[in-house]
Each structure stands twice: as C-alpha cells, then as structure tokens.
Amino acid sequence: MKQALEPTADASWVLSDDGCDPLRESDRATRFAISNGFLGVRASQTVNRSPQGVGSPNTYVAGLFDTPDGDRAVPELIPVPNGLQVHISLPGGPLVQHFGPGPSHALTLDMRRGLLLSECRLVDGSAVSARLVRLNLVSQDRRSLGLQMHHLEVERGESEMTLEASFEGLDRDLMAERLDNELGVWRTRRSGKRLEIAAAVALRIDGLEMAPVVLAPFKWSWTWKSRPGQIICLERIMGVARSAVPGPDAGVKALNELKAGRDLGWRDLLTRHETAWAHRWSSSDIDLKGDAAAQKALRFAIYHLNSAANPDDPRVSIGARALTGVDYRGHVFWDTEIFLLPFYIVTWPEAARSLLMYRFHTLNGARAKAADRGWRGAFYAWESTDTGLETTPEQAVGPDRQIVDILTGVQEQHISADVAYAVWQYWQATGDDEFLIEAGAEILLETARFWASRAQPEADGLHHIRNVIGPDEYHENIDDNAFTNVMARWNIRRALDVAGLLRQRWPDRWSALSSHLDLNEAELKRWSDVAETLATGLDPATGLYEQFAGYFDLEDVDLSAYAGRTVPMDVILGRERTQQSQVVKQADVVALLALLPGEFNAGADLKNFRYYEPRCGHGSSLSTAMHGLVAARLGDVERALDYFHRTAAIDLIDTKSAIGGGVHIAAQGGLWMMSVFGFAGLALRSDGLALAPQLPASWTSLSFSLQWRNRSLAIRIDQTNRTLEVSLESGLPMIIAVYGEPHSVSLDQALVADIRQPVEPGDG
C-alpha cells in the first residue's frame, strides 16, 4: 500500500497544498476535487472532522436533481451521503491534528493517476503520535465505484486506540427507504429518483484483518492496543447506483457494483483506474516546454475536463461547476457546448457524442419552451437539469442587495444556436453519420425552425429578433444582438445544408424525419428567406458589427480608469448606468469572432477585436479565455498569453474571488481552446484540418494529440527549430493545411513544415 500512496514524481503532474486555513478550506475542497463524470467528491477534511468545520465534504451523483419545497422552487443537484468519515481516538478523546514542523494537512492531487492524497500527523499531547496518509479515488474504469484507503503508522506511545469509519448525511435531502449495515436506498423527495449506496470496510493491523463492531448502518468501529511502529490500514470500497424512478429489487445494482469492487480488491481496482487515466492522458495531454506555470495550468484543466464527462450516460450533461460544487445548482448552460465540447470532440469523441445526446433527449423540453412562448421549433433551456425544462430562477439578489428579475431564461436565446453549433462541429470532426441521421439532424432542423419563427419581418425589408440578451448580460431587452442573429443565420443555413444532405444520401430517413416534423419545401424556402434578410448589425463601410441596435449611442466608459478593481463593473457603476453604457460583461462580438471567424472580412476581425476588447469588463469567468483565443488567432500572442494566465488564475490562484462553489469548468475548457485553437492555430474545416501556429516567445514547444474522422494524429510545434511536425498514428492518409497551404500526411510519411515568426497584428 505504501508505494500506492506516493504521488507522481514529476511536479508538472502534481498539485500540492499544505496548511489548515479555515477560510481557504472550501476553495481547497474545490481545487482538489476528484470526479469521473458520475461520482464527484470534494476534498474536504474527513479525519476527526469537527461538526462545525468549514467546508462541506460533499459527494455528488450526476443527474440526481430534486426540487426543494417552497414557492418558485428551482431543481438543484443534491449532495448524497458522504462515505469518507473517519474518527480516531484514545480513551481520553480524539487525536488532534499536529501543526508543528512537517505536513499539517497536506493535500496532493496526482493528476496523472486521478488520485487525491493527503497527509497529517495526529497527536495526543506528547504521549502518542501517528502519521496518517490517505488515498481517495472514484474509478475512471468503473464509474460506480469509489475507493478510500488510510495508512496509519504509530510513531510514539502505547494506548488503547479506536477507529470509527462512518457516513455523514444519511438523512440529508433524501428519504431513506432502506438502511442496512452495508446498504442504503434513498429516494429524492420531489422528483422520485432512487439512489443506492453499498459499502464495505476492512481494517488490517500489521497485515492481519480485524473484525469490526457494527455500531449502526454505515458505521463500523475497531479497538486495539497501539504501539510504536504499528501499521494500521483501512480500506473502504463504495458502490453507487442511480435510477430515474424507484422500482423493484432495491439495492441490487449497488450491491452488484460493490461485489465487483470487492472481487477486484483494492490493488486491481487502483491499477485499472490508473490504466484508464493513462489512456485518457495519451489522448488528451498537452506537453508544453518553456512555461512551467502554463504547463501545470493545462494539466489541471485537462484533469478536470477528463474528470467531468461520462460517455456511458447520454441522459446527463456537465454543469457549470461539473461535479466539484453546486454553484448554479448544478445546472447546465451554453458553457458545455461552446467551451467544453471542442475538447471532447477531438480528444474523446465518445464523451462528446454522449453530451450531445443529452440535448437530443431534452429536445421535447426545448419544444415545450418554444411553444409556451408562441414560437415553433426548439428553444433550449438557458439553465437545464435532467428534463430539459427551463430551470433558471426568476429572481435573485443583485450586487446592491436589491431583488432583481432574472431574464436570461426568457431572453438569452442564443443557446439554441449554441447547441446546433456543437452538433455541427461534432459531425464535421467525426463523420459520425449515424449520430447525424438519428439525432443531430433533428436538433439542427428544430433549432432552425425556432429561429425562423422567432425572427419577424418588418417594414425595412429585414427580419429582426427583438427583446433578447446576448452573451453580454449587462444589457437586457435589446434588439438584433449581433451574436444572436449571426449565429441564428448560421444555424438556419446549416439546417438547410443537412436537409439537402439527407435528401441526397439518405432519402428514406429524410422522408421519415420530414414527415415526423411536418416539414415541407415551403417552410424550408421561408427559412432561406429569413437567413438572407436577417439583420446582423454589420456596417459594411467600417466592417464593425454593432453589438446590438443602439449600442454605439451608449456612454463610452474608459475602463482603464478602473484598473486594479476587485469587483465587477456593474457593482462600481450601478445596474442602471451599466445598462446605459458600452461596458460589456463578457465576450459578445468577440465570441462571434471566435466561433464564426468566416463571418468577418479580411481586416474586419482585427477592427472588431480592437473596438470591443477595451470595452469588456470581464465580469464572467468565460470572458478572458474567449478573448485570449481571438488574440492568439490574430497574432497578438503576448496579449493572448496574458489572457491565458488570467484564466488559469481563476481556479488556481487564491484571490478575493472564492471558488468554494466549484471549479469553473468552462474556463478550464477555455485554457485548452486557447492552446490548441489559438496558439497552435487548429481549425476544424469541412474539408479537413488546418494549422497556423503562433506560439508565445516563452513557449519553446507544444505537443498534443487529436482525433479526426477515425484518425489519430500527434502534433508537435517546435519554436526553437521553427518546425511543425504532424504524424498520423492511425487511419487513412489526409490533407492538412498549414498557413493555408495543403500538405499530405500518411502512416509512413509525417508532415514537416516551417512555422512562421509571430507578427504584430496589422503588420502582415
């Protein structure tokens, strides 16, 4: 066991922290959380933890939503019983944590192996002391299983010692249907979902197993005489199952999972978990030389991205804080499609497909939302849970402590185009025709139908979309938001493309789908008319997109006068003045630049970035990554690098912005996007891949892998030798464009090309 408790030696794979600051415990619980897309466990203190301790040791199960009692209650991801508690005591009371020299509450996140390790010393004055090392994992190989191990070495003193292992929160937020010694079955109070947990424990003293005394369900105790040099090992395996509705055979799934875990034993369970993580890293790691801080930030990002997804469950998606906390109640936003899907599409297509199938399974909820408001097609929920119904709260407390109405659930309508965008990107990158035929086409068609219904013709001969909110949420009830309208137009055009493709390649499927949707040629013609006449806010003379109608007439606030601020601009200016200003909360037109660069003529991309970048207050964790991506593509690599490190700091650096509510998973996806789509210049095109590398001066090399239409490729950008090398590791030969020039690559012929020296934007 001792060897298993040693972290990876390479510091770039390890995140460490020491100390016990109550004010930081919640942030540490987030940062060091472990997850596998089904189970998520925060890294709170669990040994001799005080009931009054700061930081919740919560465990979460994906998709386990319930609605609390009360008027206008909103569904939320609920914590489940936490099976990590350990209490170690002597006859005079519990051992206490030692805060002298050496580790006092060291946490180590071994990102390479997907493990949480912790270490501390427990003492009883000067009489007894012991060193405790703990390992936690949730299996990446079999997601229903969790493993906890404690290695306690008595350093000094002899005494009767008692160890209790227990669960916390057996009666919190859930209604118990069955509680046995090793099995619990609960159901949620309102949604009727079932949760099953089965657990088994084993304690060995110097290699000999000792039988426990069962004090209560999920509570075991051992008492023995300790002595110096004694080794006590506690092993706890947990099997978890979730069901949509209660049914017969309560507990059978969890017991079967526990049996599988016990049959494996902790060594094989750990080995298979590590092997699964090794496979994930071989497909998704980014190896960066020259910037140690950026390398660790990327490993941290990729670790949490790989931890967040579950390709085996197409009924769940990834919330704004994944399974590391419950900010935003565990709800799913556009973050998943725009900031996370790019990573999964080219490194883990199976996970990407599952996440998009979640949107297919919630399509009826999107249809119902559109119909409720008098529109056709699919209007996806701005905040979504398991049903796809809109779950955005109607009100909240604003920065000035006043109650404000939340309009995003009604007005932030670009979500439907965001989902369509991810569907198209996935199909383009994977060539997964089965997905397109069975699910993707229907999503594209129904979202396009929504936009054609939503946009209304007016006397100027154009179609307009009024009373919306764009990504910049500081401005509400606006008309013709450029991001919304251009994405809507793109959505309609791709739906028309897929309608033509189905007619040509799969006529039987087109016949069945068009009949199912009651979709005829006259409606398709109307869609085309809407797309051609949709107002976009583009000024052909300047190349600038007006963010929304009337934006250019608003007060132009110089944000440089507020440099060094620690609160969002809407707090400084007040809600009303912010709405009457050009201050932007987060990337809006800049987001359009990132997603649809082809909508900008030559030179207009730089003009728009230079106009909007100084007007953005970055009041959202999504913003800096999008700006960094665009800056990198435009060749402003040092500005992009600054945005990279600012994004990395959101979750990795202790600032006044607490992260106790969970990791900002979209920001982590944004770090990956900046590196691969920004600095490496990767573009996913209908005819293949394109690369246009421009690395920061401090990055001497950048290497990563990706998948493209059943091909695996390895890419290395060597800035020292000014070369780009692309190796095809599996699949058929293909063409890759480098700075627009086509190059062939095959299994026996790598692509080697020169890379260009970065130039200042506008210089070349």
Side-chain angles (χ1 to χ4, degrees):
M1 179 184 286
K2 195 169 184 179
Q3 184 177 357
L5 299 173
E6 293 295 326
T8 298
D10 186 342
S12 68
W13 288 98
V14 173
L15 190 69
S16 300
D17 194 12
D18 192 15
C20 192
D21 180 354
L23 298 179
R24 295 176 56 237
E25 278 304 289
S26 186
D27 288 1
R28 292 200 336 158
T30 288
R31 193 171 292 137
F32 290 81
I34 55 174
S35 176
N36 60 18
F38 174 64
L39 286 172
V41 182
R42 287 170 60 81
S44 299
Q45 185 178 354
T46 56
V47 177
N48 287 3
R49 177 177 177 269
S50 166
Q52 291 76 39
V54 178
S56 174
N58 283 345
T59 297
Y60 304 102
V61 171
L64 194 68
F65 288 95
D66 199 22
T67 305
D69 294 331
D71 294 336
R72 298 182 177 179
V74 176
E76 57 188 45
L77 188 69
I78 60 172
V80 304
N82 185 287
L84 303 175
Q85 304 309 304
V86 168
H87 189 80
I88 304 172
S89 62
L90 305 179
L95 290 170
V96 298
Q97 202 160 299
H98 175 63
F99 291 97
S104 58
H105 184 199
L107 286 180
T108 300
L109 183 64
D110 189 330
M111 296 180 285
R112 187 170 207 162
R113 300 163 66 209
L115 302 177
L116 174 66
L117 304 170
S118 66
E119 180 179 354
C120 67
R121 288 184 69 234
L122 300 172
V123 301
D124 177 35
S126 60
V128 176
S129 70
R131 177 176 177 266
L132 176 67
V133 182
R134 177 169 60 100
L135 176 151
N136 274 22
L137 69 84
V138 286
S139 176
Q140 184 71 232
D141 170 66
R142 190 165 184 142
R143 289 181 172 81
S144 58
L145 293 177
L147 171 67
Q148 180 194 50
M149 296 194 298
H150 290 75
H151 183 275
L152 182 70
E153 182 174 356
V154 180
E155 297 175 323
R156 183 179 65 250
E158 295 185 3
S159 175
E160 182 181 88
M161 186 174 288
T162 298
L163 186 150
E164 289 184 2
S166 62
F167 274 58
E168 184 179 62
L170 293 176
D171 57 354
R172 180 182 60 184
D173 299 322
L174 293 162
M175 298 180 65
E177 292 184 344
R178 177 179 176 183
L179 278 179
D180 297 335
N181 292 341
E182 293 188 344
L183 173 67
V185 179
W186 298 263
R187 62 178 172 86
T188 54
R189 297 178 184 275
R190 300 285 291 276
S191 62
K193 290 183 172 62
R194 169 174 283 168
L195 172 71
E196 304 173 10
I197 298 177
V201 293
L203 186 131
R204 296 175 180 85
I205 300 176
D206 292 333
L208 298 177
E209 186 167 349
M210 183 178 181
V213 174
V214 179
L215 302 178
F218 291 110
K219 188 172 185 178
W220 305 265
S221 177
W222 299 261
T223 299
W224 70 96
K225 181 66 177 292
S226 70
R227 57 173 177 75
Q230 192 176 66
I231 303 295
I232 300 97
C233 296
L234 173 69
E235 165 197 330
R236 177 159 34 186
I237 298 176
M238 182 170 69
V240 181
R242 184 205 75 225
S243 302
V245 293
D249 303 323
V252 170
K253 289 182 181 179
L255 288 170
N256 287 340
E257 293 300 321
L258 177 62
K259 181 179 184 303
R262 297 179 78 171
D263 289 347
L264 284 171
W266 73 262
R267 288 181 178 84
D268 283 350
L269 198 159
L270 174 60
T271 298
R272 292 175 63 155
H273 167 77
E274 292 175 333
T275 300
W277 264 107
H279 176 70
R280 289 291 343 116
W281 283 114
S282 70
S283 301
S284 60
D285 185 31
I286 294 179
D287 185 28
L288 168 62
K289 297 293 190 291
D291 187 337
Q295 173 68 93
K296 182 165 286 190
L298 279 170
R299 293 256 164 84
F300 179 81
I302 296 167
Y303 162 79
H304 277 292
L305 290 165
N306 280 324
S307 298
N310 179 5
D312 301 323
D313 190 348
R315 297 283 179 173
V316 302
S317 188
I318 301 172
R321 298 294 183 263
L323 292 176
T324 68
V326 286
D327 269 8
Y328 297 104
R329 300 174 172 87
H331 293 179
V332 179
F333 292 76
W334 72 312
D335 307 27
T336 306
E337 282 70 35
I338 300 304
F339 292 87
L340 307 185
L341 259 295
F343 168 81
Y344 299 118
I345 285 170
V346 300
T347 70
W348 200 1
E350 299 85 356
R353 191 186 208 273
S354 182
L355 290 167
L356 291 171
M357 287 303 296
Y358 162 82
R359 291 298 191 182
F360 179 69
H361 290 307
T362 55
L363 190 55
N364 282 337
R367 288 187 177 111
K369 182 180 175 183
D372 285 346
R373 288 157 178 81
W375 299 315
R376 303 187 67 205
F379 177 14
Y380 276 98
W382 179 244
E383 297 189 29
S384 182
T385 55
D386 49 346
T387 64
L389 298 176
E390 183 59 70
T391 55
T392 301
E394 295 181 5
Q395 292 183 321
V397 179
D400 57 359
R401 312 307 299 168
Q402 299 297 310
I403 299 295
V404 296
D405 292 333
I406 299 177
L407 302 179
T408 51
V410 176
Q411 294 190 2
E412 199 142 1
Q413 298 169 6
H414 62 82
I415 177 64
S416 284
D418 303 331
V419 172
Y421 181 87
V423 166
W424 187 262
Q425 292 295 308
Y426 170 79
W427 177 66
Q428 290 280 290
T430 63
D432 186 349
D433 291 339
E434 180 183 357
F435 166 78
L436 182 71
I437 293 169
E438 298 301 325
E442 190 167 349
I443 293 174
L444 285 162
L445 292 167
E446 284 290 77
T447 50
R449 172 177 271 170
F450 165 72
W451 292 118
S453 167
R454 181 67 180 87
Q456 294 300 308
E458 297 188 13
D460 59 0
L462 299 177
H463 280 78
H464 297 269
I465 301 178
R466 301 193 180 278
N467 298 314
V468 299
I469 298 172
D472 164 27
E473 294 167 343
Y474 284 162
H475 298 92
E476 302 170 337
N477 294 301
I478 59 174
D479 299 331
D480 292 329
N481 170 246
F483 181 89
T484 301
N485 288 23
V486 174
M487 288 288 287
R489 182 177 66 182
W490 177 93
N491 188 168
I492 293 172
R493 287 173 172 171
R494 297 297 77 76
L496 292 171
D497 288 343
V498 82
L501 183 68
L502 289 173
R503 269 193 299 249
Q504 179 183 2
R505 293 183 58 187
W506 303 286
D508 290 344
R509 175 56 182 159
W510 170 248
S511 178
L513 183 57
S514 59
S515 176
H516 170 65
L517 298 179
D518 192 20
L519 182 59
N520 56 40
E521 292 302 316
E523 185 174 355
L524 293 176
K525 174 61 170 62
R526 181 175 177 276
W527 293 6
S528 180
D529 292 342
V530 171
E532 295 307 313
T533 59
L534 192 56
T536 63
L538 175 63
D539 181 351
T542 64
L544 282 178
Y545 279 94
E546 185 173 26
Q547 184 174 298
F548 54 85
Y551 175 85
F552 289 151
D553 298 328
L554 300 178
E555 178 189 2
D556 192 1
V557 176
D558 181 8
L559 292 184
S560 66
Y562 300 90
R565 60 188 167 82
T566 58
V567 295
M569 283 303 300
D570 62 328
V571 176
I572 294 173
L573 299 179
R575 179 179 171 87
E576 184 174 347
R577 186 183 173 196
T578 302
Q579 291 178 335
Q580 296 304 313
S581 76
Q582 290 189 11
V583 176
V584 180
K585 178 180 179 181
Q586 63 173 308
D588 198 303
V589 172
V590 171
L592 190 59
L593 264 169
L595 302 186
L596 298 178
E599 298 291 338
F600 295 80
N601 294 329
D605 48 5
L606 184 58
K607 279 186 178 180
N608 279 271
F609 184 72
R610 284 181 169 169
Y611 185 87
Y612 285 102
E613 194 248 0
R615 290 167 170 81
C616 186
H618 301 295
S620 164
S621 62
L622 309 180
S623 187
T624 51
M626 200 67 89
H627 279 76
L629 168 59
V630 174
R633 281 183 180 165
L634 293 174
D636 196 348
V637 292
E638 297 309 316
R639 186 186 301 270
L641 183 61
D642 177 64
Y643 277 122
F644 179 98
H645 286 295
R646 287 166 63 181
T647 305
I650 293 171
D651 285 326
L652 277 177
I653 305 298
D654 286 322
T655 65
K656 292 183 179 180
S657 299
I659 63 166
V663 165
H664 297 76
I665 194 66
Q668 305 312 317
L671 286 172
W672 182 91
M673 290 169 64
M674 276 189 277
S675 303
V676 174
F677 290 161
F679 297 125
L682 177 70
L684 311 179
R685 308 192 323 194
S686 60
D687 58 348
L689 296 174
L691 289 160
Q694 296 189 86
L695 299 189
S698 59
W699 291 18
T700 56
S701 69
L702 183 72
S703 303
F704 58 94
S705 300
L706 62 86
Q707 296 185 47
W708 172 260
R709 296 185 184 175
N710 298 312
R711 299 170 177 89
S712 296
L713 300 104
I715 297 169
R716 175 176 170 78
I717 304 162
D718 185 339
Q719 182 150 249
T720 303
N721 297 308
R722 311 300 306 163
T723 57
L724 163 69
E725 182 174 347
V726 181
S727 301
L728 183 65
E729 299 184 330
S730 67
L732 298 174
M734 64 180 295
I735 301 297
I736 295 178
V738 180
Y739 301 115
E741 295 295 323
H743 297 261
S744 60
V745 60
S746 63
L747 291 172
D748 55 3
Q749 180 183 353
L751 184 167
V752 180
D754 294 335
I755 63 172
R756 298 175 183 173
Q757 190 74 30
V759 297
E760 286 297 315
D763 291 349

